[in-house]
């Protein structure tokens, strides 16, 4: 009888551990969704918000004209800023995987809309299309969008640059407090200092 209770206790502990792991995974998904939502742009804003028209016009200028652009801006702005794609050029297969992931996270649209978005992204944001970011001249928004930084990190870089002068190397850039050096290392091929 004791052996049965020991097995029961062991299974109960395993179920508790699995439940905690599942809760942790769910919390991580929510954090990722909230992080993506924090980058929402004025494209998703209501017309009553001041400056939403100029921000929307700015976004349209950031994205090349072509079939699928308006669908991309409309569909993708529901969960995150469409500007997230600018520093993340990918192959067609990479964009297809990204769209599949977004659909699994709740993006809604028709198959035709997602096909149009895939065609637009593959044509206009291929893997080799990432623009270089001059960290000595870029605005906080350009740093955020171009290097995938959090808004606070981008603002810290601008403030540090204004206080201490231009950056000469990646190591200089890594001296900025509140900026994750791993993010800078991951995007070092996009950083220029001219």
């Amino acid at each position: 009888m004791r052996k049965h209770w020991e097995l029961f206790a062991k299974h109960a502990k395993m179920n508790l551990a699995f439940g905690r792991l599942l809760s942790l995974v769910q919390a991580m998904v929510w954090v990722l969704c909230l992080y993506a939502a924090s980058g929402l742009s004025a494209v998703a804003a209501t017309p009553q918000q001041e400056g939403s028209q100029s921000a929307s016009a700015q976004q349209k200028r950031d994205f090349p004209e072509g079939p699928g652009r308006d669908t991309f801006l409309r569909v993708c702005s529901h969960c995150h800023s469409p500007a997230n794609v600018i520093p993340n050029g990918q192959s067609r297969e990479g964009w297809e995987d990204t769209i599949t992931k977004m659909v699994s996270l709740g993006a809604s649209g028709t198959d035709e809309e997602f096909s149009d978005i895939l065609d637009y992204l593959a044509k206009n944001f291929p893997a080799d299309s990432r623009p270089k970011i001059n960290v000595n001249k870029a605005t906080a928004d350009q740093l955020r969008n171009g290097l995938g930084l959090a808004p606070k990190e981008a603002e810290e870089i601008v403030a540090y640059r204004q206080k201490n002068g231009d950056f000469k190397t990646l190591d200089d850039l890594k001296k900025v407090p509140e900026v994750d050096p791993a993010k800078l290392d991951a995007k070092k091929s996009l950083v220029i200092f001219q």
Side-chain angles (χ1 to χ4, degrees):
M1 184 73 151
R2 178 182 169 139
K3 196 171 200 171
H4 291 291
W5 280 110
E6 289 174 354
L7 281 173
F8 176 79
K10 183 177 179 181
H11 287 286
K13 287 180 185 178
M14 288 173 51
N15 285 338
L16 181 61
F18 179 76
R20 287 181 180 159
L21 178 63
L22 183 59
S23 295
L24 178 62
V25 169
Q26 288 172 330
M28 289 171 57
V29 168
W30 276 108
V31 167
L32 288 172
C33 289
L34 290 173
Y35 178 76
S38 71
L40 280 175
S41 69
V43 170
T46 61
Q48 293 82 15
Q49 290 179 317
E50 187 177 317
S52 67
Q53 289 179 349
S54 64
S56 178
Q58 174 64 41
Q59 275 207 325
K60 285 195 174 190
R61 284 192 300 272
D62 289 344
F63 295 96
E65 289 282 340
R69 180 183 77 167
D70 292 338
T71 303
F72 161 71
L73 291 174
R74 179 177 41 79
V75 171
C76 295
S77 67
H78 288 291
C79 298
H80 59 80
S81 170
N84 290 354
V85 306
I86 293 172
N88 297 312
Q90 300 184 62
S91 66
R92 184 175 187 82
E93 293 78 23
W95 283 122
E96 191 169 1
D97 290 344
T98 298
I99 291 170
T100 301
K101 178 182 169 188
M102 294 299 110
V103 170
S104 74
L105 292 172
S108 60
T110 66
D111 287 343
E112 184 178 330
E113 287 173 323
F114 288 122
S115 180
D116 290 347
I117 291 168
L118 174 60
D119 291 341
Y120 177 77
L121 293 173
K123 177 182 178 189
N124 294 289
F125 297 95
D128 59 352
S129 70
R130 300 185 215 184
K132 303 287 186 189
I133 305 299
N134 184 337
V135 294
N136 291 318
K137 293 187 168 64
T139 65
D141 282 342
Q142 291 167 332
L143 291 166
R144 181 177 58 82
N145 292 330
L147 300 177
L149 300 174
K152 178 74 173 157
E153 291 174 312
E155 291 165 7
E156 289 288 328
I157 289 174
V158 171
Y160 188 91
R161 180 182 71 206
Q162 289 171 344
K163 181 179 178 185
N164 299 297
D166 286 353
F167 301 102
K168 306 261 188 276
T169 66
L170 189 63
D171 287 333
D172 290 343
L173 190 58
K174 289 180 182 180
K175 292 177 184 175
V176 178
E178 307 298 322
V179 176
D180 182 359
K183 286 184 182 179
L184 298 174
D185 282 332
K187 302 290 183 169
K188 67 183 173 186
S189 65
L190 302 178
V191 174
I192 57 174
F193 300 94
Q194 300 171 338

